[in-house]
Amino acid sequence: MSYLIRVSLPDVPGSLGQLAEAFGMVDADINSVDIVETSTDGAVTDDIVVTLPTGVMVDTLITAVSSVDGAEVDSIRPFTGRVDRRGQIQMLAQIAAQSGSVEDRISELVDVIPSAVTSSWAVVLRTSDEGLTRAAASPAAPEDDGSHPKMPPIEAARILQPDFDGWAPESWFQLGTSLTITPLPGTDMVLVVGRVGGPDFLASEVREIGDLGCITGAMLR
């Protein structure tokens, strides 16, 4: 079975090699490695997809990480595929190549963005004086409850919090889902991205989603 493990490592030569060796000792096969964020305190956060042989418990991955000095597990969850943020370029190309209506491009956006930003689902909402309406949603998104909540203006990409964003449907936050929202500038729409079970979106990921929203908004205008 494959897992996505988010690891914080010391930003020093050889640390990733030590981790790869530790994974090898438990017969874990590394499928992909992606740098998520480099902090100012000398640490780097990586998303690593690994496959474990049948019968090997996921706890062995945590034990392997703990054997590397300064390494810490942020989160771990089952995952299918590979992590490669260069796929965001392919995603934008797919949206740009969509020759249909704005609705067709929005549908393409919610279909491809979850894998491009290592998330579980995406929803595009249209704003109006009457409230929010769902314009498109990926297959794994929570069902539309039919409500039309009033949302405060969203000027830039940010994380959604259940105790602060009371307008957001409760179903979005179920199963420990982390949420980010970004406007699609030049349109009357916003994009919500959900990651079921975490990990929380880092500041660098929020900026990436905001940048993707800005580019996508320009395509939809």
Side-chain angles (χ1 to χ4, degrees), residues 11 15 21 42 60 63 76-77 92 97 109 141 163 187 201:
D11 191 12
S15 62
E21 184 177 354
T60 60
T63 302
I76 184 168
R77 62 186 174 96
L92 293 171
L109 170 64
D163 55 349
T187 76
F201 287 98

Side-chain angles (χ1 to χ4, degrees), residues 183-205:
L184 302 180
T187 76
D188 58 354
M189 293 175 286
V190 296
L191 169 68
V192 179
V193 180
R195 180 182 284 161
V196 177
D200 292 339
F201 287 98
L202 298 177
S204 60
E205 295 181 290

Side-chain angles (χ1 to χ4, degrees), residues 107-172:
S107 295
E108 183 71 19
L109 170 64
V110 295
D111 282 345
V112 299
I113 200 167
S115 61
V117 296
T118 324
S119 59
S120 306
W121 54 264
V123 170
V124 170
L125 303 170
R126 196 180 299 274
T127 61
S128 69
D129 293 339
E130 288 72 36
L132 296 170
T133 57
R134 184 173 295 203
S138 62
E143 291 187 8
D144 188 355
D145 63 4
S147 63
H148 301 284
K150 295 290 184 71
M151 179 189 68
I154 301 293
E155 303 296 337
R158 66 173 179 84
I159 291 174
L160 284 177
Q161 301 287 355
D163 55 349
F164 179 77
D165 297 288
W167 58 267
E170 185 178 343
S171 60
W172 289 3

